[in-house]
Amino acid sequence: MKAIVIGAGIVGSGVAYRLAEAGVEVTILEADRVGGGTSGISFAWTNSHGKEPRHYHDLNVAGMKAHAALAEEFPGQTWFHPSGSVAWRKTPQDREAMTRNFERLKSWGYAIEWIDRKRLAELEPDIDIDRVGDAIITYCPQEGYVDPVVYADAMVKAAQKRGAKLKTGVKVVDVETRNGNVTGVKGEDGSRHEADIVVNCAGRWAARVAQEPGLKLPLAPTTGFIVFTPPVATSVKHLVHAPDIHFRPDGAGRLMVRTNAADDLVSLDMTPSPTMPQAVEIMRRAAEVIPALKTVKAEAARITARPIPQDGLSAVGPTPRVNGYYFVVTHSGVTLSPFLAKAVTDEIVHNKTRPELENFRPSRFFN
Ligand SMILES: Cc1cc2nc3c(=O)[nH]c(=O)nc-3n(C[C@H](O)[C@H](O)[C@H](O)COP(=O)(O)OP(=O)(O)OC[C@H]3O[C@@H](n4cnc5c(N)ncnc54)[C@H](O)[C@@H]3O)c2cc1C
């Protein structure tokens, strides 16, 4: 069996690895570079903290477990950081929402616990604990974060070890079919690539790789904005979700910082800069939580879009129109990648229908 995987982000690289491991002759076609899409600008928090409905929550929990298993499969790996997360909320409205979420997650068997200020200060000694005040605080020990580009590189190399080919600089512009079966894809440079199976892992560009309307997945991407600090003298270890600011370690003492509010104030046509007002405001908020950041300026800012299928849920599986053409397109792709890679491989190679994917079929968009 010959398969083409379009896109070498965190999703496509994982799929390519599992397909190659299962004996498929895999070619990865990547328009730009490995991990150069959304995966390279992601908060990359492995979690199922606010994922509803239940089947989407379960899918994300499966992703979290798959990350832990994958880390064991690759001893010495450097991409997975099962750090745990802390969060606190202060206003009556926020407390009520947090308590509701806590109860839902607990009843679904999720690892979440209430902790007190003393424990928070032990976990994150650099937080200004006075500002936390009498907030209610949660700790999720099984959450973590991933370095998506490191992961993608490792998966591509693991796939290559099993015979896969990586072709960068090949932008797929059409999917070719004959008698209702996929036969391959066409590159912008006129190149043709034959395959029995084509897996579209092109993320937010997924609707652009085929020309026929019946093969275009409807997407509703949202913009994301992330700020990066220079290396700073703090010991932040967890994902930290304060009321108006989210941050986590990003290697070598750097922090990755974001807010939901700033996402609404940027667009893809802006040139991101660490001096733009949105970045300055993010750093101001971060310094309120970690006083050591008071004189620290952002070092970089990046803008990208989340690859979200139109109804907000993952799109995973075959298209109803053409045999052999699959989508694996999703938000939370960092959390989900290792699970989806295995599940999709089971379906494509082993002809085994995975019930976990039943609620996420792309066919819901094409009927
Ligand atoms: C601000 C922000 C925060 C996020 N936070 C989280 C989080 O905390 N946890 C989480 O799990 N997820 C998070 N996500 C979502 C997650 O990052 C994405 O779901 C994931 O990165 C998608 O990976 P992907 O491989 O599908 O897409 P991408 O990484 O975009 O990869 C797609 C690849 O396809 C290539 N490509 C595109 N078109 C073509 C073509 N025509 N031919 C060939 N190649 C092509 C691109 O160059 C790219 O390399 C966040 C996203 C954003 C933007």
Side-chain angles (χ1 to χ4, degrees):
M1 185 188 284
K2 266 185 165 182
I4 283 170
V5 175
I6 306 173
I10 195 158
V11 171
S13 61
V15 169
Y17 165 52
R18 288 301 180 196
L19 286 176
E21 184 193 43
V24 177
E25 210 179 301
V26 176
T27 302
I28 309 164
L29 299 179
E30 166 53 55
D32 185 1
R33 63 182 168 91
V34 174
T38 304
S39 301
I41 314 175
S42 176
F43 199 59
W45 169 27
T46 51
N47 79 97
S48 190
H49 210 97
K51 316 279 175 82
E52 290 183 82
R54 178 68 195 256
H55 50 260
Y56 188 50
H57 168 84
D58 290 343
L59 196 71
N60 279 273
V61 170
M64 293 166 70
K65 288 185 181 153
H67 269 294
L70 190 72
E72 283 186 14
E73 193 178 325
F74 286 78
Q77 64 77 28
T78 56
W79 62 80
F80 181 51
H81 309 276
S83 60
S85 78
V86 292
W88 63 94
R89 295 293 178 266
K90 286 167 90 165
T91 67
Q93 214 179 356
D94 284 356
R95 282 165 174 264
E96 200 190 310
M98 183 182 235
T99 305
R100 246 196 337 266
N101 198 43
F102 178 94
E103 282 162 5
R104 175 181 62 83
L105 289 172
K106 254 305 194 222
S107 74
W108 288 356
Y110 197 68
I112 184 167
E113 56 197 77
W114 294 117
I115 58 170
D116 59 16
R117 274 159 54 100
K118 186 166 165 278
R119 178 87 176 111
L120 176 64
E122 283 164 8
L123 291 170
E124 286 297 348
D126 290 350
I127 285 176
D128 181 353
I129 206 71
D130 291 336
R131 283 198 77 93
V132 175
D134 65 350
I136 54 172
I137 311 165
T138 60
Y139 173 50
C140 294
Q142 290 175 7
E143 295 180 358
Y145 61 94
V146 166
D147 298 321
V149 183
V150 179
Y151 171 107
D153 175 59
M155 292 304 108
V156 166
K157 285 180 176 146
Q160 285 173 313
K161 250 189 174 167
R162 289 153 182 84
K165 292 192 179 66
L166 167 69
K167 295 186 182 173
T168 53
V170 179
K171 183 175 175 186
V172 174
V173 289
D174 209 358
V175 171
E176 304 199 309
T177 63
R178 194 182 314 123
N179 303 328
N181 298 310
V182 82
T183 56
V185 300
K186 202 171 123 188
E188 193 177 43
D189 56 1
S191 58
R192 294 197 125 81
H193 309 265
E194 285 181 11
D196 319 299
I197 301 286
V198 172
V199 191
N200 181 337
C201 301
R204 71 181 171 98
W205 299 275
R208 299 193 199 160
V209 307
Q211 298 310 313
E212 198 195 307
L215 297 181
K216 285 178 184 282
L217 186 74
L219 297 174
T222 60
T223 311
F225 181 62
I226 297 187
V227 163
F228 301 80
T229 73
V232 280
T234 85
S235 59
V236 173
K237 287 187 279 299
H238 301 82
L239 290 124
V240 178
H241 304 286
D244 294 316
I245 191 88
H246 310 270
F247 55 89
R248 68 158 175 87
D250 191 39
R254 289 185 172 81
L255 297 178
M256 183 186 279
V257 197
R258 62 169 300 277
T259 64
N260 293 334
D263 286 355
D264 297 333
L265 300 174
V266 297
S267 56
L268 286 176
D269 56 6
M270 289 178 171
T271 305
S273 143
T275 56
M276 63 202 284
Q278 296 88 336
V280 173
E281 172 60 12
I282 281 180
M283 288 307 297
R284 188 193 66 75
R285 290 189 190 189
E288 285 184 346
V289 179
I290 303 277
L293 294 175
K294 281 243 150 64
T295 58
V296 175
K297 292 190 171 67
E299 187 177 68
R302 292 184 198 129
I303 299 174
T304 189
R306 299 175 176 85
I308 310 182
Q310 205 168 49
D311 60 3
L313 298 175
S314 312
V316 185
T319 40
R321 304 274 162 89
V322 171
N323 295 324
Y325 185 48
Y326 287 75
F327 285 108
V328 188
V329 179
T330 184
H331 181 46
S332 299
V334 174
T335 303
L336 295 171
S337 169
F339 176 76
L340 294 182
K342 261 195 158 174
V344 163
T345 300
D346 272 350
E347 296 204 328
I348 292 175
V349 183
H350 307 301
N351 221 0
K352 199 161 113 188
T353 302
R354 292 291 299 248
E356 302 94 324
L357 301 181
E358 280 310 300
N359 289 297
F360 304 101
R361 298 305 186 189
S363 55
R364 69 189 188 273
F365 296 112
F366 297 105
N367 289 329

